[in-house]
Amino acid sequence: MQPHSRRTFLALGLLTLTACTADHTGPASGTGGLRPDPDTPVRLRAIAATDALLAGYDTLPPPPGVRSADLRAEVARQRAALAEGLTAAAVPSPPVTTAPTSTSPSPAGPSPAGPSPAGPSPAGPSPAGPTPAGPGLAELERRTGESHLADLEAASPSLARLLASAAAANGVHAAILGAPAPPAPARATASPSATPAPSPTPAALTALQNALGAEHAAVYGYGVVGAHLPGDSRLADARTAYAAHQAQRDTWQRLVAALGAAPTPAAGGYRLPFPVVSAADAAGLAAHLETRLTTVYADLVAAVPAPHRLTAALALRDCALRAHRWGAPDQPIPGIQDQAPTPSPTAG
């Protein structure tokens, strides 16, 4: 099961949140017996999809320069998290690594000096000829992530949080393996105005307001990021991210207002978590913003009514992908690891 609480600094570290994720443990029935855990079929489906992905890593060679052993190890950690709480008899045996993996010294993720593009490499085929395995692994990662997202509404809040975080990791892995960014139509289908949802609980409203506050801070932060980047592709990335966070901020404002609450306003200004005086500092701030937002959105997936989970999960995946592009360390399950404490700045 996932941690029951964790102190998280939202976006620029301006807010502190104790994440409370609902846990589903199969409560006792009125007759004294244990009721079957409704999460079990969801967990088993997720494990089966993950096992198919692990088998792909064992049979398909990676694209040049990718350390598939590192990616496979992260997928295996996802599987272990999905299986936690199930009886040993209910969980099939995991696949065993049988195929050699890449010996390239290149890391799976981007270097701190600057991440590589998420799209396919323009380089030509290897001397051995065209290698279809890279796109094959990327497609397996993408399909696994989509299968996790498809089960969000059927899961308990805590399991939905785990599925969304695993799907975000699958999206990052697919990018490392050369897949293009997820298509825009997938995001459009998740508009919170498209499907009416049950009345939210106070905890759900609090999580929505926290996400809105974090997006206000991210919009401010990206204004600082853009001011310290040269006029190249990194500046274009910052502008794209700035627009994305503005759009996400507006989405949460509309949803909070539609639920009858007053949206959290932006602060007059924010004190940054560290000085930003160079392009490297700016990239570090962008990575910091996106990494912190993965935890905000993982918490939101667990808090909101089921029809709104996909919107929060796609926001989580987008933040994980942007964090990867800005050079942040990739996480096997973004947003649910305990974060190292950082100085807590204040709004200014």
Side-chain angles (χ1 to χ4, degrees):
M1 293 295 181
Q2 302 164 42
H4 291 286
S5 65
R6 178 188 63 262
R7 290 182 65 81
T8 303
F9 296 101
L10 304 187
L12 294 175
L14 304 171
L15 304 173
T16 302
L17 171 67
T18 299
C20 297
T21 58
D23 205 19
H24 204 107
T25 56
S29 68
T31 59
L34 287 179
R35 190 170 63 214
D37 186 351
D39 270 346
T40 296
V42 180
R43 287 184 180 275
L44 291 177
R45 285 194 295 271
I47 290 170
T50 304
D51 283 346
L53 175 57
L54 289 170
Y57 275 105
D58 293 341
T59 57
L60 299 172
V66 174
R67 291 178 60 92
S68 64
D70 294 343
L71 299 181
R72 190 191 190 283
E74 292 187 352
V75 174
R77 289 175 65 181
Q78 294 175 25
R79 186 191 194 277
L82 291 165
E84 191 172 346
L86 295 176
T87 63
V91 183
S93 299
V96 178
T97 304
T98 57
T101 56
S102 171
T103 58
S104 169
S106 301
S111 68
S116 60
S121 169
S126 64
T131 304
L137 284 175
E139 178 64 12
L140 282 175
E141 286 278 8
R142 188 195 67 78
R143 291 178 182 178
T144 303
E146 292 298 326
S147 71
H148 293 336
L149 294 178
D151 253 341
L152 286 178
E153 291 195 30
S156 68
S158 59
L159 180 55
R161 188 176 191 271
L162 175 59
L163 290 172
S165 296
N170 295 135
V172 172
H173 291 178
I176 292 170
L177 291 162
R187 296 179 177 86
T189 60
S191 172
S193 62
T195 305
S199 297
T201 63
L205 270 176
T206 297
L208 282 167
Q209 295 280 32
N210 285 337
L212 174 55
E215 287 292 0
H216 282 314
V219 169
Y220 177 91
Y222 266 102
V224 176
V225 170
H228 288 83
L229 291 176
D232 58 10
S233 61
R234 305 305 297 281
L235 179 58
D237 287 343
R239 287 172 174 166
T240 299
Y242 178 77
H245 286 294
Q246 285 182 312
Q248 194 65 67
R249 174 204 62 193
D250 294 346
T251 293
W252 300 136
Q253 284 179 325
R254 290 192 298 269
L255 179 56
V256 170
L259 295 172
T264 298
Y270 298 92
R271 187 173 302 157
L272 303 177
F274 49 81
V276 178
V277 297
S278 67
D281 294 335
L285 177 58
H288 173 85
L289 290 169
E290 301 294 354
T291 300
R292 295 306 183 192
L293 277 166
T294 62
T295 302
V296 174
Y297 283 127
D299 291 339
L300 187 61
V301 169
V304 295
H308 292 315
R309 287 176 180 171
L310 181 58
T311 307
L314 293 177
L316 166 58
R317 185 177 67 181
D318 287 346
C319 289
L321 285 166
R322 285 191 293 264
H324 166 73
R325 285 196 289 269
W326 285 111
D330 294 327
Q331 299 177 357
I333 311 177
I336 69 170
Q337 283 79 18
D338 288 330
Q339 301 290 335
T342 57
S344 178
T346 58

